[in-house]
Amino acid sequence: MVRLTRIYTRGGDAGETHLGDMSRVPKTHARVEAFGDVDETNSVIGVVRANGIDPGTDDWLRIIQNDLFDLGADLCLPADADRPGALRVTQDQIDRLERWCDEANETLEPLSSFVLPGGTAVAASLHQARAVCRRAERRVVALTGQEPVNGLVVSYLNRLSDLLFILARAANLGAGGDVLWEPGAGRTDSGSGSGGSAPELA
């Protein structure tokens, strides 16, 4: 159990922090950037919950917030660190996200276009959480090219961003549905924009 009696330590005043193995690294280190973005994802999810969401989804997000602390602890300790009982993301946590994705998606119509991040305030906040989660995923992928990382961390963040996207769509169901992208709709020329490319969903 963590016990904090004083929040400030002055240990980071020189621009360094320590990892789970007590090694010291710059605060700009790729590993610190990665779990910093995970923390930001968690914070945005907290805003979603504070602004009000249906009880079932709120319960899912409560569990996810706890998972993200597990995931941050995983990232904080290099995957090759020899520490018995190290907290690591597990496959069952990813499987649970996939079950929730399937359950939430059952209520939605297939997409005919890409979705703009808007609609209700809850939907917009969920899209913001999704975008930050995608950034965290990219940070972790970059880290894997430099240091040992539990590969399930990337899988968890990928599934989480999918779930947040689905939940954002679901949040707009009672408010007119999806806000769809209309390629080229803001152009003043005669082109339709239909030949343009779109970002890939993965």
Side-chain angles (χ1 to χ4, degrees):
M1 177 63 69
V2 175
R3 184 170 183 269
L4 299 176
T5 58
R6 189 180 68 183
I7 301 304
Y8 69 89
T9 65
R10 302 189 181 96
D13 290 355
E16 291 187 342
T17 190
H18 66 264
L19 300 178
D21 60 359
M22 301 310 294
S23 61
R24 298 285 293 179
V25 296
K27 291 185 177 182
T28 53
H29 189 279
R31 189 172 291 275
V32 180
E33 294 280 9
F35 61 70
D37 281 349
V38 170
D39 183 38
E40 188 177 349
T41 302
N42 207 340
S43 298
V44 180
I45 291 173
V47 172
V48 174
R49 296 185 64 206
N51 286 337
I53 198 165
D54 70 89
T57 301
D58 185 69
D59 190 51
W60 288 0
L61 295 180
R62 175 184 58 80
I63 293 169
I64 286 167
Q65 284 195 288
N66 199 78
D67 277 355
L68 287 174
F69 255 82
D70 290 353
L71 191 147
D74 189 329
L75 284 173
C76 190
L77 185 67
D80 60 351
D82 185 16
R83 175 171 291 185
L87 189 58
R88 299 297 185 194
V89 173
T90 61
Q91 184 62 46
D92 67 292
Q93 290 172 298
I94 298 166
D95 293 342
R96 182 173 58 207
L97 289 180
E98 291 182 353
R99 290 195 301 271
W100 289 345
C101 282
D102 292 340
E103 181 177 337
N105 201 50
E106 285 179 356
T107 65
L108 304 174
E109 294 294 327
L111 277 172
S112 58
S113 178
F114 285 87
V115 174
L116 299 181
T120 66
V122 168
S125 292
L126 284 163
H127 276 298
Q128 183 180 12
R130 170 194 57 77
V132 177
C133 184
R134 284 292 195 191
R135 187 202 321 144
E137 180 188 356
R138 293 192 300 272
R139 295 279 197 190
V140 176
V141 170
L143 178 63
T144 61
Q146 304 173 38
E147 297 188 1
V149 176
N150 174 9
L152 293 180
V153 168
V154 175
S155 298
Y156 186 95
L157 292 172
N158 185 271
R159 299 307 185 284
L160 176 56
S161 63
D162 290 338
L163 177 61
L164 293 169
F165 175 78
I166 293 168
L167 293 178
R169 291 192 66 205
N172 277 334
L173 271 179
D178 297 311
V179 182
L180 297 178
W181 174 46
E182 301 176 43
R187 290 167 52 169
T188 56
D189 60 20
S190 59
S192 66
S194 59
S197 61
E200 181 181 353
L201 293 177

PDB file of all heavy atoms in Angstrom, residues 7-19 23-37 39 76 139 143 146-147:
ATOM      1  N   ILE A   7       3.706  15.607  -0.125  1.00  0.00           N
ATOM      2  CA  ILE A   7       3.651  15.520  -1.583  1.00  0.00           C
ATOM      3  C   ILE A   7       4.931  16.018  -2.228  1.00  0.00           C
ATOM      4  O   ILE A   7       5.469  15.406  -3.150  1.00  0.00           O
ATOM      5  CB  ILE A   7       2.434  16.287  -2.128  1.00  0.00           C
ATOM      6  CG1 ILE A   7       1.140  15.706  -1.543  1.00  0.00           C
ATOM      7  CG2 ILE A   7       2.411  16.234  -3.652  1.00  0.00           C
ATOM      8  CD1 ILE A   7       0.958  14.224  -1.791  1.00  0.00           C
ATOM      9  N   TYR A   8       5.459  17.135  -1.771  1.00  0.00           N
ATOM     10  CA  TYR A   8       6.692  17.637  -2.392  1.00  0.00           C
ATOM     11  C   TYR A   8       7.912  16.977  -1.749  1.00  0.00           C
ATOM     12  O   TYR A   8       7.941  16.688  -0.559  1.00  0.00           O
ATOM     13  CB  TYR A   8       6.786  19.161  -2.287  1.00  0.00           C
ATOM     14  CG  TYR A   8       7.006  19.706  -0.886  1.00  0.00           C
ATOM     15  CD1 TYR A   8       8.291  19.869  -0.380  1.00  0.00           C
ATOM     16  CD2 TYR A   8       5.926  20.043  -0.083  1.00  0.00           C
ATOM     17  CE1 TYR A   8       8.501  20.367   0.903  1.00  0.00           C
ATOM     18  CE2 TYR A   8       6.116  20.533   1.201  1.00  0.00           C
ATOM     19  CZ  TYR A   8       7.405  20.697   1.688  1.00  0.00           C
ATOM     20  OH  TYR A   8       7.604  21.181   2.954  1.00  0.00           O
ATOM     21  N   THR A   9       8.901  16.685  -2.598  1.00  0.00           N
ATOM     22  CA  THR A   9      10.127  16.022  -2.115  1.00  0.00           C
ATOM     23  C   THR A   9      11.384  16.791  -2.486  1.00  0.00           C
ATOM     24  O   THR A   9      12.453  16.497  -1.959  1.00  0.00           O
ATOM     25  CB  THR A   9      10.246  14.611  -2.726  1.00  0.00           C
ATOM     26  OG1 THR A   9      10.406  14.731  -4.144  1.00  0.00           O
ATOM     27  CG2 THR A   9       9.016  13.760  -2.410  1.00  0.00           C
ATOM     28  N   ARG A  10      11.270  17.733  -3.406  1.00  0.00           N
ATOM     29  CA  ARG A  10      12.396  18.495  -3.964  1.00  0.00           C
ATOM     30  C   ARG A  10      13.321  17.614  -4.817  1.00  0.00           C
ATOM     31  O   ARG A  10      14.319  18.092  -5.338  1.00  0.00           O
ATOM     32  CB  ARG A  10      13.224  19.182  -2.866  1.00  0.00           C
ATOM     33  CG  ARG A  10      12.434  20.135  -1.982  1.00  0.00           C
ATOM     34  CD  ARG A  10      13.358  20.944  -1.062  1.00  0.00           C
ATOM     35  NE  ARG A  10      12.599  21.832  -0.194  1.00  0.00           N
ATOM     36  CZ  ARG A  10      12.251  21.533   1.061  1.00  0.00           C
ATOM     37  NH1 ARG A  10      12.576  20.348   1.575  1.00  0.00           N
ATOM     38  NH2 ARG A  10      11.574  22.397   1.784  1.00  0.00           N
ATOM     39  N   GLY A  11      12.981  16.328  -4.943  1.00  0.00           N
ATOM     40  CA  GLY A  11      13.850  15.411  -5.686  1.00  0.00           C
ATOM     41  C   GLY A  11      13.851  15.638  -7.181  1.00  0.00           C
ATOM     42  O   GLY A  11      14.733  15.161  -7.888  1.00  0.00           O
ATOM     43  N   GLY A  12      12.842  16.358  -7.684  1.00  0.00           N
ATOM     44  CA  GLY A  12      12.784  16.585  -9.123  1.00  0.00           C
ATOM     45  C   GLY A  12      13.190  17.973  -9.542  1.00  0.00           C
ATOM     46  O   GLY A  12      13.040  18.353 -10.710  1.00  0.00           O
ATOM     47  N   ASP A  13      13.736  18.749  -8.611  1.00  0.00           N
ATOM     48  CA  ASP A  13      14.057  20.145  -8.919  1.00  0.00           C
ATOM     49  C   ASP A  13      15.167  20.299  -9.949  1.00  0.00           C
ATOM     50  O   ASP A  13      15.300  21.355 -10.572  1.00  0.00           O
ATOM     51  CB  ASP A  13      14.458  20.887  -7.637  1.00  0.00           C
ATOM     52  CG  ASP A  13      13.272  21.104  -6.703  1.00  0.00           C
ATOM     53  OD1 ASP A  13      12.135  20.770  -7.096  1.00  0.00           O
ATOM     54  OD2 ASP A  13      13.489  21.607  -5.579  1.00  0.00           O
ATOM     55  N   ALA A  14      15.974  19.273 -10.137  1.00  0.00           N
ATOM     56  CA  ALA A  14      17.063  19.339 -11.116  1.00  0.00           C
ATOM     57  C   ALA A  14      16.643  18.760 -12.472  1.00  0.00           C
ATOM     58  O   ALA A  14      17.477  18.571 -13.354  1.00  0.00           O
ATOM     59  CB  ALA A  14      18.288  18.591 -10.603  1.00  0.00           C
ATOM     60  N   GLY A  15      15.331  18.495 -12.629  1.00  0.00           N
ATOM     61  CA  GLY A  15      14.842  18.012 -13.915  1.00  0.00           C
ATOM     62  C   GLY A  15      14.944  16.519 -14.100  1.00  0.00           C
ATOM     63  O   GLY A  15      14.843  16.021 -15.219  1.00  0.00           O
ATOM     64  N   GLU A  16      15.124  15.773 -13.006  1.00  0.00           N
ATOM     65  CA  GLU A  16      15.175  14.323 -13.081  1.00  0.00           C
ATOM     66  C   GLU A  16      14.106  13.718 -12.181  1.00  0.00           C
ATOM     67  O   GLU A  16      13.565  14.380 -11.290  1.00  0.00           O
ATOM     68  CB  GLU A  16      16.552  13.801 -12.642  1.00  0.00           C
ATOM     69  CG  GLU A  16      17.686  14.136 -13.593  1.00  0.00           C
ATOM     70  CD  GLU A  16      18.982  13.449 -13.199  1.00  0.00           C
ATOM     71  OE1 GLU A  16      19.100  13.007 -12.036  1.00  0.00           O
ATOM     72  OE2 GLU A  16      19.873  13.340 -14.058  1.00  0.00           O
ATOM     73  N   THR A  17      13.796  12.453 -12.436  1.00  0.00           N
ATOM     74  CA  THR A  17      12.883  11.702 -11.586  1.00  0.00           C
ATOM     75  C   THR A  17      13.385  10.276 -11.504  1.00  0.00           C
ATOM     76  O   THR A  17      14.312   9.890 -12.220  1.00  0.00           O
ATOM     77  CB  THR A  17      11.448  11.753 -12.144  1.00  0.00           C
ATOM     78  OG1 THR A  17      10.540  11.205 -11.177  1.00  0.00           O
ATOM     79  CG2 THR A  17      11.323  10.964 -13.455  1.00  0.00           C
ATOM     80  N   HIS A  18      12.796   9.479 -10.622  1.00  0.00           N
ATOM     81  CA  HIS A  18      13.242   8.088 -10.544  1.00  0.00           C
ATOM     82  C   HIS A  18      12.158   7.149 -11.062  1.00  0.00           C
ATOM     83  O   HIS A  18      10.963   7.434 -10.957  1.00  0.00           O
ATOM     84  CB  HIS A  18      13.666   7.696  -9.119  1.00  0.00           C
ATOM     85  CG  HIS A  18      12.547   7.677  -8.120  1.00  0.00           C
ATOM     86  ND1 HIS A  18      12.262   8.735  -7.300  1.00  0.00           N
ATOM     87  CD2 HIS A  18      11.660   6.703  -7.802  1.00  0.00           C
ATOM     88  CE1 HIS A  18      11.243   8.442  -6.525  1.00  0.00           C
ATOM     89  NE2 HIS A  18      10.849   7.221  -6.816  1.00  0.00           N
ATOM     90  N   LEU A  19      12.600   6.048 -11.648  1.00  0.00           N
ATOM     91  CA  LEU A  19      11.711   5.013 -12.143  1.00  0.00           C
ATOM     92  C   LEU A  19      11.435   4.002 -11.030  1.00  0.00           C
ATOM     93  O   LEU A  19      11.914   4.141  -9.907  1.00  0.00           O
ATOM     94  CB  LEU A  19      12.341   4.319 -13.349  1.00  0.00           C
ATOM     95  CG  LEU A  19      12.653   5.222 -14.558  1.00  0.00           C
ATOM     96  CD1 LEU A  19      13.309   4.407 -15.659  1.00  0.00           C
ATOM     97  CD2 LEU A  19      11.391   5.913 -15.080  1.00  0.00           C
ATOM     98  N   SER A  23      16.213   3.943 -10.540  1.00  0.00           N
ATOM     99  CA  SER A  23      17.187   4.622 -11.398  1.00  0.00           C
ATOM    100  C   SER A  23      16.697   6.039 -11.684  1.00  0.00           C
ATOM    101  O   SER A  23      15.483   6.302 -11.724  1.00  0.00           O
ATOM    102  CB  SER A  23      17.384   3.851 -12.702  1.00  0.00           C
ATOM    103  OG  SER A  23      16.166   3.754 -13.428  1.00  0.00           O
ATOM    104  N   ARG A  24      17.628   6.956 -11.877  1.00  0.00           N
ATOM    105  CA  ARG A  24      17.292   8.349 -12.133  1.00  0.00           C
ATOM    106  C   ARG A  24      17.375   8.634 -13.633  1.00  0.00           C
ATOM    107  O   ARG A  24      18.334   8.238 -14.299  1.00  0.00           O
ATOM    108  CB  ARG A  24      18.263   9.276 -11.394  1.00  0.00           C
ATOM    109  CG  ARG A  24      18.253   9.147  -9.893  1.00  0.00           C
ATOM    110  CD  ARG A  24      17.046   9.781  -9.265  1.00  0.00           C
ATOM    111  NE  ARG A  24      17.037  11.230  -9.399  1.00  0.00           N
ATOM    112  CZ  ARG A  24      16.044  12.004  -8.937  1.00  0.00           C
ATOM    113  NH1 ARG A  24      14.986  11.454  -8.345  1.00  0.00           N
ATOM    114  NH2 ARG A  24      16.102  13.315  -9.091  1.00  0.00           N
ATOM    115  N   VAL A  25      16.361   9.304 -14.156  1.00  0.00           N
ATOM    116  CA  VAL A  25      16.323   9.654 -15.576  1.00  0.00           C
ATOM    117  C   VAL A  25      15.804  11.074 -15.717  1.00  0.00           C
ATOM    118  O   VAL A  25      15.107  11.591 -14.828  1.00  0.00           O
ATOM    119  CB  VAL A  25      15.419   8.688 -16.383  1.00  0.00           C
ATOM    120  CG1 VAL A  25      15.962   7.271 -16.362  1.00  0.00           C
ATOM    121  CG2 VAL A  25      13.987   8.737 -15.864  1.00  0.00           C
ATOM    122  N   PRO A  26      16.114  11.741 -16.842  1.00  0.00           N
ATOM    123  CA  PRO A  26      15.544  13.074 -17.081  1.00  0.00           C
ATOM    124  C   PRO A  26      14.021  12.993 -17.195  1.00  0.00           C
ATOM    125  O   PRO A  26      13.473  11.971 -17.634  1.00  0.00           O
ATOM    126  CB  PRO A  26      16.179  13.497 -18.408  1.00  0.00           C
ATOM    127  CG  PRO A  26      17.350  12.601 -18.592  1.00  0.00           C
ATOM    128  CD  PRO A  26      17.025  11.317 -17.913  1.00  0.00           C
ATOM    129  N   LYS A  27      13.343  14.059 -16.839  1.00  0.00           N
ATOM    130  CA  LYS A  27      11.886  14.076 -16.958  1.00  0.00           C
ATOM    131  C   LYS A  27      11.418  14.081 -18.407  1.00  0.00           C
ATOM    132  O   LYS A  27      10.233  13.858 -18.673  1.00  0.00           O
ATOM    133  CB  LYS A  27      11.316  15.284 -16.212  1.00  0.00           C
ATOM    134  CG  LYS A  27      11.464  15.175 -14.707  1.00  0.00           C
ATOM    135  CD  LYS A  27      10.778  16.319 -13.986  1.00  0.00           C
ATOM    136  CE  LYS A  27      10.880  16.131 -12.472  1.00  0.00           C
ATOM    137  NZ  LYS A  27      10.184  17.210 -11.725  1.00  0.00           N
ATOM    138  N   THR A  28      12.353  14.310 -19.327  1.00  0.00           N
ATOM    139  CA  THR A  28      12.043  14.232 -20.754  1.00  0.00           C
ATOM    140  C   THR A  28      12.331  12.844 -21.328  1.00  0.00           C
ATOM    141  O   THR A  28      12.197  12.641 -22.541  1.00  0.00           O
ATOM    142  CB  THR A  28      12.870  15.269 -21.530  1.00  0.00           C
ATOM    143  OG1 THR A  28      14.261  15.104 -21.208  1.00  0.00           O
ATOM    144  CG2 THR A  28      12.437  16.682 -21.175  1.00  0.00           C
ATOM    145  N   HIS A  29      12.712  11.895 -20.497  1.00  0.00           N
ATOM    146  CA  HIS A  29      13.004  10.536 -20.942  1.00  0.00           C
ATOM    147  C   HIS A  29      11.753   9.932 -21.586  1.00  0.00           C
ATOM    148  O   HIS A  29      10.624  10.197 -21.165  1.00  0.00           O
ATOM    149  CB  HIS A  29      13.435   9.702 -19.736  1.00  0.00           C
ATOM    150  CG  HIS A  29      13.974   8.348 -20.086  1.00  0.00           C
ATOM    151  ND1 HIS A  29      13.150   7.268 -20.356  1.00  0.00           N
ATOM    152  CD2 HIS A  29      15.244   7.878 -20.186  1.00  0.00           C
ATOM    153  CE1 HIS A  29      13.896   6.205 -20.598  1.00  0.00           C
ATOM    154  NE2 HIS A  29      15.171   6.557 -20.513  1.00  0.00           N
ATOM    155  N   ALA A  30      11.958   9.104 -22.610  1.00  0.00           N
ATOM    156  CA  ALA A  30      10.838   8.520 -23.358  1.00  0.00           C
ATOM    157  C   ALA A  30       9.892   7.723 -22.453  1.00  0.00           C
ATOM    158  O   ALA A  30       8.673   7.719 -22.668  1.00  0.00           O
ATOM    159  CB  ALA A  30      11.369   7.621 -24.474  1.00  0.00           C
ATOM    160  N   ARG A  31      10.425   7.072 -21.446  1.00  0.00           N
ATOM    161  CA  ARG A  31       9.573   6.289 -20.545  1.00  0.00           C
ATOM    162  C   ARG A  31       8.691   7.212 -19.694  1.00  0.00           C
ATOM    163  O   ARG A  31       7.509   6.926 -19.470  1.00  0.00           O
ATOM    164  CB  ARG A  31      10.437   5.385 -19.652  1.00  0.00           C
ATOM    165  CG  ARG A  31       9.645   4.388 -18.831  1.00  0.00           C
ATOM    166  CD  ARG A  31      10.566   3.406 -18.122  1.00  0.00           C
ATOM    167  NE  ARG A  31      11.229   2.501 -19.057  1.00  0.00           N
ATOM    168  CZ  ARG A  31      10.698   1.379 -19.517  1.00  0.00           C
ATOM    169  NH1 ARG A  31       9.480   1.008 -19.150  1.00  0.00           N
ATOM    170  NH2 ARG A  31      11.375   0.616 -20.363  1.00  0.00           N
ATOM    171  N   VAL A  32       9.271   8.330 -19.246  1.00  0.00           N
ATOM    172  CA  VAL A  32       8.499   9.286 -18.452  1.00  0.00           C
ATOM    173  C   VAL A  32       7.435   9.955 -19.319  1.00  0.00           C
ATOM    174  O   VAL A  32       6.290  10.170 -18.883  1.00  0.00           O
ATOM    175  CB  VAL A  32       9.438  10.337 -17.828  1.00  0.00           C
ATOM    176  CG1 VAL A  32       8.647  11.349 -17.003  1.00  0.00           C
ATOM    177  CG2 VAL A  32      10.494   9.663 -16.952  1.00  0.00           C
ATOM    178  N   GLU A  33       7.777  10.281 -20.563  1.00  0.00           N
ATOM    179  CA  GLU A  33       6.795  10.842 -21.491  1.00  0.00           C
ATOM    180  C   GLU A  33       5.634   9.877 -21.699  1.00  0.00           C
ATOM    181  O   GLU A  33       4.470  10.291 -21.772  1.00  0.00           O
ATOM    182  CB  GLU A  33       7.463  11.152 -22.841  1.00  0.00           C
ATOM    183  CG  GLU A  33       8.508  12.252 -22.811  1.00  0.00           C
ATOM    184  CD  GLU A  33       7.903  13.643 -22.839  1.00  0.00           C
ATOM    185  OE1 GLU A  33       6.680  13.777 -22.722  1.00  0.00           O
ATOM    186  OE2 GLU A  33       8.690  14.604 -22.971  1.00  0.00           O
ATOM    187  N   ALA A  34       5.942   8.581 -21.782  1.00  0.00           N
ATOM    188  CA  ALA A  34       4.908   7.577 -22.027  1.00  0.00           C
ATOM    189  C   ALA A  34       3.935   7.483 -20.857  1.00  0.00           C
ATOM    190  O   ALA A  34       2.714   7.578 -21.043  1.00  0.00           O
ATOM    191  CB  ALA A  34       5.553   6.214 -22.296  1.00  0.00           C
ATOM    192  N   PHE A  35       4.462   7.309 -19.639  1.00  0.00           N
ATOM    193  CA  PHE A  35       3.487   7.181 -18.546  1.00  0.00           C
ATOM    194  C   PHE A  35       2.877   8.529 -18.165  1.00  0.00           C
ATOM    195  O   PHE A  35       1.813   8.580 -17.543  1.00  0.00           O
ATOM    196  CB  PHE A  35       4.020   6.390 -17.344  1.00  0.00           C
ATOM    197  CG  PHE A  35       5.225   6.901 -16.615  1.00  0.00           C
ATOM    198  CD1 PHE A  35       5.178   8.053 -15.844  1.00  0.00           C
ATOM    199  CD2 PHE A  35       6.424   6.192 -16.641  1.00  0.00           C
ATOM    200  CE1 PHE A  35       6.278   8.498 -15.139  1.00  0.00           C
ATOM    201  CE2 PHE A  35       7.539   6.620 -15.934  1.00  0.00           C
ATOM    202  CZ  PHE A  35       7.464   7.788 -15.181  1.00  0.00           C
ATOM    203  N   GLY A  36       3.507   9.638 -18.593  1.00  0.00           N
ATOM    204  CA  GLY A  36       2.871  10.940 -18.428  1.00  0.00           C
ATOM    205  C   GLY A  36       1.625  11.064 -19.293  1.00  0.00           C
ATOM    206  O   GLY A  36       0.599  11.599 -18.850  1.00  0.00           O
ATOM    207  N   ASP A  37       1.684  10.555 -20.519  1.00  0.00           N
ATOM    208  CA  ASP A  37       0.511  10.589 -21.392  1.00  0.00           C
ATOM    209  C   ASP A  37      -0.568   9.631 -20.913  1.00  0.00           C
ATOM    210  O   ASP A  37      -1.766   9.888 -21.102  1.00  0.00           O
ATOM    211  CB  ASP A  37       0.918  10.263 -22.837  1.00  0.00           C
ATOM    212  CG  ASP A  37       1.541  11.459 -23.546  1.00  0.00           C
ATOM    213  OD1 ASP A  37       1.466  12.576 -22.994  1.00  0.00           O
ATOM    214  OD2 ASP A  37       2.106  11.276 -24.641  1.00  0.00           O
ATOM    215  N   ASP A  39      -1.126   9.096 -17.751  1.00  0.00           N
ATOM    216  CA  ASP A  39      -1.719   9.865 -16.665  1.00  0.00           C
ATOM    217  C   ASP A  39      -2.693  10.905 -17.210  1.00  0.00           C
ATOM    218  O   ASP A  39      -3.775  11.128 -16.641  1.00  0.00           O
ATOM    219  CB  ASP A  39      -0.603  10.537 -15.857  1.00  0.00           C
ATOM    220  CG  ASP A  39      -1.123  11.302 -14.652  1.00  0.00           C
ATOM    221  OD1 ASP A  39      -2.067  10.827 -13.996  1.00  0.00           O
ATOM    222  OD2 ASP A  39      -0.570  12.373 -14.353  1.00  0.00           O
ATOM    223  N   CYS A  76       6.546   2.285 -15.520  1.00  0.00           N
ATOM    224  CA  CYS A  76       7.543   2.903 -14.642  1.00  0.00           C
ATOM    225  C   CYS A  76       8.694   1.957 -14.315  1.00  0.00           C
ATOM    226  O   CYS A  76       9.789   2.398 -14.000  1.00  0.00           O
ATOM    227  CB  CYS A  76       6.855   3.347 -13.353  1.00  0.00           C
ATOM    228  SG  CYS A  76       7.869   4.386 -12.295  1.00  0.00           S
ATOM    229  N   ARG A 139       3.459   7.022 -27.918  1.00  0.00           N
ATOM    230  CA  ARG A 139       4.635   7.189 -27.052  1.00  0.00           C
ATOM    231  C   ARG A 139       5.194   5.831 -26.618  1.00  0.00           C
ATOM    232  O   ARG A 139       6.411   5.625 -26.584  1.00  0.00           O
ATOM    233  CB  ARG A 139       4.262   7.986 -25.807  1.00  0.00           C
ATOM    234  CG  ARG A 139       3.844   9.411 -26.059  1.00  0.00           C
ATOM    235  CD  ARG A 139       5.017  10.336 -26.226  1.00  0.00           C
ATOM    236  NE  ARG A 139       4.572  11.726 -26.055  1.00  0.00           N
ATOM    237  CZ  ARG A 139       5.291  12.783 -26.321  1.00  0.00           C
ATOM    238  NH1 ARG A 139       6.522  12.624 -26.777  1.00  0.00           N
ATOM    239  NH2 ARG A 139       4.824  13.999 -26.148  1.00  0.00           N
ATOM    240  N   LEU A 143       8.744   4.021 -27.364  1.00  0.00           N
ATOM    241  CA  LEU A 143       9.585   3.522 -26.274  1.00  0.00           C
ATOM    242  C   LEU A 143      10.022   2.092 -26.524  1.00  0.00           C
ATOM    243  O   LEU A 143      11.161   1.720 -26.213  1.00  0.00           O
ATOM    244  CB  LEU A 143       8.831   3.622 -24.945  1.00  0.00           C
ATOM    245  CG  LEU A 143       9.546   3.089 -23.703  1.00  0.00           C
ATOM    246  CD1 LEU A 143      10.825   3.880 -23.430  1.00  0.00           C
ATOM    247  CD2 LEU A 143       8.602   3.139 -22.493  1.00  0.00           C
ATOM    248  N   GLN A 146      13.282   1.480 -28.045  1.00  0.00           N
ATOM    249  CA  GLN A 146      14.467   1.899 -27.313  1.00  0.00           C
ATOM    250  C   GLN A 146      14.771   1.027 -26.104  1.00  0.00           C
ATOM    251  O   GLN A 146      15.939   0.806 -25.775  1.00  0.00           O
ATOM    252  CB  GLN A 146      14.284   3.345 -26.829  1.00  0.00           C
ATOM    253  CG  GLN A 146      13.981   4.344 -27.927  1.00  0.00           C
ATOM    254  CD  GLN A 146      13.642   5.711 -27.376  1.00  0.00           C
ATOM    255  OE1 GLN A 146      14.225   6.162 -26.397  1.00  0.00           O
ATOM    256  NE2 GLN A 146      12.679   6.385 -27.988  1.00  0.00           N
ATOM    257  N   GLU A 147      13.720   0.531 -25.449  1.00  0.00           N
ATOM    258  CA  GLU A 147      13.899  -0.183 -24.191  1.00  0.00           C
ATOM    259  C   GLU A 147      12.876  -1.309 -24.072  1.00  0.00           C
ATOM    260  O   GLU A 147      11.840  -1.294 -24.743  1.00  0.00           O
ATOM    261  CB  GLU A 147      13.721   0.775 -22.997  1.00  0.00           C
ATOM    262  CG  GLU A 147      14.739   1.894 -22.947  1.00  0.00           C
ATOM    263  CD  GLU A 147      14.643   2.680 -21.647  1.00  0.00           C
ATOM    264  OE1 GLU A 147      13.795   2.339 -20.790  1.00  0.00           O
ATOM    265  OE2 GLU A 147      15.426   3.625 -21.492  1.00  0.00           O
TER     266      GLU A 147
END
